[in-house]
Amino acid sequence: MFSGKTEELIRRLNRVEIANQSYLLFKPKSDTRFSHEKIVSHSGFSKNAIPIESSVEVIQHHSDEKIVAFDEVQFMDGQIVQVVQQLANKGVRVIVSGLEMDFKGRPFGPMPQLMAVAEYVTKVHAICKNCGNLAQFSHRNSTDQNLVVLGEKDKYEPLCRSCFNQINA
Ligand SMILES: [Zn+2]
């Protein structure tokens, strides 16, 4: 949540732009935190993105772009795994950004499958709010059990494994 995933995605897309390569960037329609047609990092950088409801829409949008990117892919349906494989098999470079665990520390949506089929996986970490160690868990401050509560600073805090386990014990 505060690990800089979107930041890293934007950094990679900036390099794609410098190289004059065309790309498509998608985001789930449910993610409306900052803007419907943009991804925005916590430090305020942004890129235009196509909001989609279902992963099959990706194929409809794609023509000859060499790079296809996704933000918040954990919210996409399971079909996304086939869609990205189909693109990668055609020689498209697919860049996917997503949260690997939900607020209960469980693997999130299609993330395990995507990480399994990816050539490269980069894990970026936040800093634990409690102790300052590297954090990979997103603890929810509220008691809302709904899986999709869009993240803002008052709703989630990054925690390391040990602090996450203490709070959830
Ligand atoms: Zn900690």
Side-chain angles (χ1 to χ4, degrees), residues 128 130-133 159-160 163:
C128 178
N130 232 14
C131 73
N133 283 326
L159 293 178
C160 70
C163 294

Side-chain angles (χ1 to χ4, degrees), residues 98-142:
L99 192 60
E100 74 266 40
M101 286 188 288
D102 67 16
F103 70 103
K104 288 192 161 171
R106 301 170 300 201
F108 208 150
M111 289 299 288
Q113 284 78 13
L114 290 169
M115 289 166 83
V117 299
E119 270 88 344
Y120 303 98
V121 175
T122 307
K123 280 207 178 195
V124 286
H125 295 95
I127 297 298
C128 178
K129 280 274 280 229
N130 232 14
C131 73
N133 283 326
L134 290 181
Q136 82 177 119
F137 292 86
S138 312
H139 170 67
R140 188 180 288 172
N141 291 318
S142 73

Side-chain angles (χ1 to χ4, degrees), residues 66-77:
K66 294 271 180 282
I67 290 129
V68 173
F70 299 86
D71 196 25
E72 303 291 352
V73 78
Q74 76 276 5
F75 293 134
M76 295 299 305
D77 55 89

Side-chain angles (χ1 to χ4, degrees), residues 40-63:
V40 182
S41 74
H42 284 284
S43 42
F45 298 106
S46 71
K47 288 264 179 263
N48 292 331
I50 305 166
I52 52 170
E53 218 150 347
S54 140
S55 50
V56 292
E57 292 172 55
V58 173
I59 302 297
Q60 291 154 15
H61 279 99
H62 184 252
S63 53

Side-chain angles (χ1 to χ4, degrees), residues 84-95:
V84 299
Q85 297 251 70
Q86 200 179 319
L87 292 167
N89 290 341
K90 283 200 284 188
V92 174
R93 179 181 166 211
V94 181
I95 311 171

